[in-house]
Amino acid sequence: MMKDRKIILGVTGSIAAYKAAVLLRSFIKKGAEVQVVMTPAAREFITPLTLSTLSSKPVISEFFTRRDGSWHSHVDLGLWADALLIAPATASTIGKMANGIADNMLVTTYLSCKAPVFVAPAMDLDMYAHPTTQQNLERLRSFGNRIIEPAEGELASHLIGKGRMEEPERIVGILEDFFASCDDLRKKKILITAGPTYEKIDPVRFIGNYSSGRMGFALAQACAGRGAEVELIAGPVSLQATHPLIRRTDVESAGEMFAAATAIFPKMDAAILCAAVADYRPETSWEGKIRRERDERLTLSLVRNEDIAATLGKMKRAGQVVVGFALETDSGIVHAKEKLKRKNLDLIVLNSLQDEGAGFRHDTNRVVIIDREEEMTPVPLKNKRDVASDIVAKLVTLLK
C-alpha cells in the first residue's frame, strides 16, 4: 500500500527524533517517496545528513537556503503529498499547529497541506497531560487531523508515564491501513444529504429544526477520503466541504432536497440520507410578513412533505445501497427497525436525543447501526468524524 505514495515526514525537536530515521527507512523500503521537513530545533537531535541520506532527498528546514532569491514552496509541498506525518511532534509544534503560528517551514507546510495529517506526540508525561496540550490536541482532531496516541513507558526524564512516541512499526502500520482504506470507494458515487430544511411561512419565518449538518458533512468527508465521488445536497448550514471529490448542491426546503435527490440518485452507487428533513410544510406561504397585530391567534395548516428515503428505497436498482437515519426520543430500536423495512433501506443509523452528547448541535454522537438482518452495531460516544468512519466502513462492506 505504500508503493509510490508521497509522504512528508515532519521532525521536531524531541529526543524521539532518532525514531524518525527508522520511520523513514521503513517508508522507503516499502516503496514510498519521502520528503523530510525539520524544525530548527530538530537538527539538535538528529542531523539533516542522516535523513537526507536515507531519503535520497535534501532535507528542508528553512524557507531560504541560498541568497539567490530561491526558496522552498510550502504550497507546492502541500499539494505534492499524499500524507503528512509529524513524528515526533512536540508540545510546542502541536500548539503552533493548533493556533496557526507559522514561524517555521514545517508549520507553514502543515497549514498549506491538502493531504491527511497524522500527528505522533512525544513529550514528558506532565506536558502531555497538561490541559493546554490536551486542548490543542482536541483542536487538531476537530480540524480532521489524526492523532497517533503516545505510549506509556520510561521517558527522557526517567519518569514512567504516557508520552513516549508510538513505535515506528506501529506508525507505519497505521499509515498502511489508511492508504488501504483510501481505495475502498474509488470510482464509487455516493449521494449524501445533510443539514436541516426550512419550510417557509412568510419572508422572515420558517419551520425548521436544530440540525447543524455536522454529521452529514463528516460522512461526505469520510466517503471522499476513501476515494468516492460525493454528491452532497446540503440544507441551510454554515459548514464548508473542502475535499475536491465533494460536489455540493445547496437547497433550502424539503421539496428542493427531494427534487435534487431523486434527480441525482439514479447515477449513484449509494445514498446516505443524513439530513433532518421537515416532515410537514405550511399549506400556505404568505408573500408579505405576517403582522403581530393582525390576529390574537395564528393557525397554520400543515401538509406532509414527500418522503425522500422511502422514494429512493422504491427507486433503487440491484446493487444500489440506501442508508437512512432515525432520530428518536423513545423506543428507538423498535422505530428504527420498522423504518428500515418500511422504507426498503439497507442500513439505518439510530441516534437518540436521550443520549447525552448525541444528536443535534453536538460535535459528538452515539449511534446504533442496524442492517437488513437486524444485526445491531453500537457505536459509543465519540467525535462525529469518527462515527462517520464507522458508518462508511459498514457501507463499504455492502458495496463490496
PDB file of all heavy atoms in Angstrom, residues 40 62 81 101 165-166 236 242 246 277 294 346 349-350 395:
ATOM      1  N   PRO A  40      13.994  23.880  13.118  1.00  0.00           N
ATOM      2  CA  PRO A  40      15.374  24.187  13.501  1.00  0.00           C
ATOM      3  C   PRO A  40      15.829  23.417  14.739  1.00  0.00           C
ATOM      4  O   PRO A  40      16.973  22.951  14.808  1.00  0.00           O
ATOM      5  CB  PRO A  40      15.334  25.694  13.746  1.00  0.00           C
ATOM      6  CG  PRO A  40      14.247  26.186  12.832  1.00  0.00           C
ATOM      7  CD  PRO A  40      13.204  25.112  12.846  1.00  0.00           C
ATOM      8  N   GLU A  62      14.641  25.340   6.288  1.00  0.00           N
ATOM      9  CA  GLU A  62      14.474  26.793   6.256  1.00  0.00           C
ATOM     10  C   GLU A  62      13.678  27.206   5.019  1.00  0.00           C
ATOM     11  O   GLU A  62      13.617  26.479   4.028  1.00  0.00           O
ATOM     12  CB  GLU A  62      15.843  27.480   6.233  1.00  0.00           C
ATOM     13  CG  GLU A  62      16.762  27.079   7.378  1.00  0.00           C
ATOM     14  CD  GLU A  62      16.314  27.651   8.713  1.00  0.00           C
ATOM     15  OE1 GLU A  62      15.419  28.517   8.711  1.00  0.00           O
ATOM     16  OE2 GLU A  62      16.865  27.230   9.749  1.00  0.00           O
ATOM     17  N   ALA A  81       1.974  16.056  -1.539  1.00  0.00           N
ATOM     18  CA  ALA A  81       1.918  14.939  -0.597  1.00  0.00           C
ATOM     19  C   ALA A  81       0.603  14.170  -0.652  1.00  0.00           C
ATOM     20  O   ALA A  81      -0.468  14.728  -0.884  1.00  0.00           O
ATOM     21  CB  ALA A  81       2.144  15.449   0.821  1.00  0.00           C
ATOM     22  N   ILE A 101       0.363  29.327  14.159  1.00  0.00           N
ATOM     23  CA  ILE A 101       1.594  30.115  14.301  1.00  0.00           C
ATOM     24  C   ILE A 101       2.625  29.560  13.324  1.00  0.00           C
ATOM     25  O   ILE A 101       3.329  28.591  13.598  1.00  0.00           O
ATOM     26  CB  ILE A 101       2.118  30.082  15.744  1.00  0.00           C
ATOM     27  CG1 ILE A 101       1.039  30.621  16.695  1.00  0.00           C
ATOM     28  CG2 ILE A 101       3.401  30.888  15.876  1.00  0.00           C
ATOM     29  CD1 ILE A 101       1.377  30.486  18.152  1.00  0.00           C
ATOM     30  N   MET A 165       6.612   8.567  22.124  1.00  0.00           N
ATOM     31  CA  MET A 165       6.122   8.468  20.759  1.00  0.00           C
ATOM     32  C   MET A 165       5.868   7.004  20.419  1.00  0.00           C
ATOM     33  O   MET A 165       6.655   6.129  20.776  1.00  0.00           O
ATOM     34  CB  MET A 165       7.134   9.064  19.776  1.00  0.00           C
ATOM     35  CG  MET A 165       6.606   9.148  18.354  1.00  0.00           C
ATOM     36  SD  MET A 165       7.836   9.820  17.199  1.00  0.00           S
ATOM     37  CE  MET A 165       8.365   8.304  16.378  1.00  0.00           C
ATOM     38  N   GLU A 166       4.771   6.742  19.756  1.00  0.00           N
ATOM     39  CA  GLU A 166       4.454   5.375  19.335  1.00  0.00           C
ATOM     40  C   GLU A 166       5.603   4.791  18.516  1.00  0.00           C
ATOM     41  O   GLU A 166       6.309   5.524  17.810  1.00  0.00           O
ATOM     42  CB  GLU A 166       3.159   5.376  18.512  1.00  0.00           C
ATOM     43  CG  GLU A 166       2.675   4.004  18.084  1.00  0.00           C
ATOM     44  CD  GLU A 166       2.420   3.068  19.252  1.00  0.00           C
ATOM     45  OE1 GLU A 166       3.377   2.367  19.659  1.00  0.00           O
ATOM     46  OE2 GLU A 166       1.275   3.036  19.741  1.00  0.00           O
ATOM     47  N   PRO A 236     -29.722  24.517   4.731  1.00  0.00           N
ATOM     48  CA  PRO A 236     -29.110  25.783   5.156  1.00  0.00           C
ATOM     49  C   PRO A 236     -28.154  25.580   6.344  1.00  0.00           C
ATOM     50  O   PRO A 236     -28.581  25.478   7.492  1.00  0.00           O
ATOM     51  CB  PRO A 236     -30.318  26.642   5.564  1.00  0.00           C
ATOM     52  CG  PRO A 236     -31.508  25.956   4.979  1.00  0.00           C
ATOM     53  CD  PRO A 236     -31.176  24.503   4.940  1.00  0.00           C
ATOM     54  N   THR A 242     -14.492  20.798   2.007  1.00  0.00           N
ATOM     55  CA  THR A 242     -13.219  21.201   1.413  1.00  0.00           C
ATOM     56  C   THR A 242     -12.610  20.155   0.492  1.00  0.00           C
ATOM     57  O   THR A 242     -11.701  20.472  -0.267  1.00  0.00           O
ATOM     58  CB  THR A 242     -12.200  21.514   2.518  1.00  0.00           C
ATOM     59  OG1 THR A 242     -12.043  20.355   3.362  1.00  0.00           O
ATOM     60  CG2 THR A 242     -12.683  22.674   3.381  1.00  0.00           C
ATOM     61  N   ILE A 246     -15.818  16.286  -3.408  1.00  0.00           N
ATOM     62  CA  ILE A 246     -17.187  16.598  -2.974  1.00  0.00           C
ATOM     63  C   ILE A 246     -17.774  17.684  -3.873  1.00  0.00           C
ATOM     64  O   ILE A 246     -17.202  18.765  -4.009  1.00  0.00           O
ATOM     65  CB  ILE A 246     -17.208  17.065  -1.510  1.00  0.00           C
ATOM     66  CG1 ILE A 246     -16.706  15.957  -0.584  1.00  0.00           C
ATOM     67  CG2 ILE A 246     -18.630  17.468  -1.104  1.00  0.00           C
ATOM     68  CD1 ILE A 246     -16.583  16.376   0.868  1.00  0.00           C
ATOM     69  N   VAL A 277     -34.905  16.209   7.455  1.00  0.00           N
ATOM     70  CA  VAL A 277     -35.871  16.800   6.525  1.00  0.00           C
ATOM     71  C   VAL A 277     -37.190  17.038   7.248  1.00  0.00           C
ATOM     72  O   VAL A 277     -37.702  16.149   7.951  1.00  0.00           O
ATOM     73  CB  VAL A 277     -36.098  15.866   5.314  1.00  0.00           C
ATOM     74  CG1 VAL A 277     -37.048  16.510   4.312  1.00  0.00           C
ATOM     75  CG2 VAL A 277     -34.759  15.530   4.646  1.00  0.00           C
ATOM     76  N   ARG A 294     -52.111  41.617  13.717  1.00  0.00           N
ATOM     77  CA  ARG A 294     -53.217  41.220  12.842  1.00  0.00           C
ATOM     78  C   ARG A 294     -54.283  40.404  13.574  1.00  0.00           C
ATOM     79  O   ARG A 294     -55.477  40.692  13.491  1.00  0.00           O
ATOM     80  CB  ARG A 294     -52.652  40.419  11.669  1.00  0.00           C
ATOM     81  CG  ARG A 294     -53.684  39.875  10.731  1.00  0.00           C
ATOM     82  CD  ARG A 294     -53.012  39.178   9.562  1.00  0.00           C
ATOM     83  NE  ARG A 294     -53.829  38.099   9.063  1.00  0.00           N
ATOM     84  CZ  ARG A 294     -53.532  37.369   8.018  1.00  0.00           C
ATOM     85  NH1 ARG A 294     -52.398  37.594   7.371  1.00  0.00           N
ATOM     86  NH2 ARG A 294     -54.312  36.404   7.613  1.00  0.00           N
ATOM     87  N   ASP A 346     -31.111  -0.345   3.369  1.00  0.00           N
ATOM     88  CA  ASP A 346     -30.125  -1.401   3.583  1.00  0.00           C
ATOM     89  C   ASP A 346     -29.453  -1.278   4.944  1.00  0.00           C
ATOM     90  O   ASP A 346     -29.021  -2.276   5.520  1.00  0.00           O
ATOM     91  CB  ASP A 346     -29.070  -1.346   2.473  1.00  0.00           C
ATOM     92  CG  ASP A 346     -29.684  -1.567   1.108  1.00  0.00           C
ATOM     93  OD1 ASP A 346     -29.989  -2.731   0.791  1.00  0.00           O
ATOM     94  OD2 ASP A 346     -29.892  -0.582   0.374  1.00  0.00           O
ATOM     95  N   VAL A 349     -29.221   4.181  10.707  1.00  0.00           N
ATOM     96  CA  VAL A 349     -28.386   4.662  11.792  1.00  0.00           C
ATOM     97  C   VAL A 349     -29.293   5.339  12.813  1.00  0.00           C
ATOM     98  O   VAL A 349     -29.927   6.354  12.513  1.00  0.00           O
ATOM     99  CB  VAL A 349     -27.315   5.640  11.279  1.00  0.00           C
ATOM    100  CG1 VAL A 349     -26.432   6.109  12.430  1.00  0.00           C
ATOM    101  CG2 VAL A 349     -26.474   4.993  10.185  1.00  0.00           C
ATOM    102  N   LEU A 350     -29.364   4.751  13.987  1.00  0.00           N
ATOM    103  CA  LEU A 350     -30.234   5.264  15.044  1.00  0.00           C
ATOM    104  C   LEU A 350     -29.446   6.126  16.001  1.00  0.00           C
ATOM    105  O   LEU A 350     -28.396   5.716  16.496  1.00  0.00           O
ATOM    106  CB  LEU A 350     -30.868   4.085  15.804  1.00  0.00           C
ATOM    107  CG  LEU A 350     -31.559   4.428  17.129  1.00  0.00           C
ATOM    108  CD1 LEU A 350     -32.791   5.291  16.902  1.00  0.00           C
ATOM    109  CD2 LEU A 350     -31.924   3.142  17.877  1.00  0.00           C
ATOM    110  N   LEU A 395     -20.862   0.697   5.135  1.00  0.00           N
ATOM    111  CA  LEU A 395     -21.286   0.888   3.745  1.00  0.00           C
ATOM    112  C   LEU A 395     -20.349   0.163   2.788  1.00  0.00           C
ATOM    113  O   LEU A 395     -20.789  -0.467   1.820  1.00  0.00           O
ATOM    114  CB  LEU A 395     -21.337   2.384   3.428  1.00  0.00           C
ATOM    115  CG  LEU A 395     -21.598   2.761   1.964  1.00  0.00           C
ATOM    116  CD1 LEU A 395     -22.977   2.296   1.531  1.00  0.00           C
ATOM    117  CD2 LEU A 395     -21.451   4.262   1.771  1.00  0.00           C
TER     118      LEU A 395
END
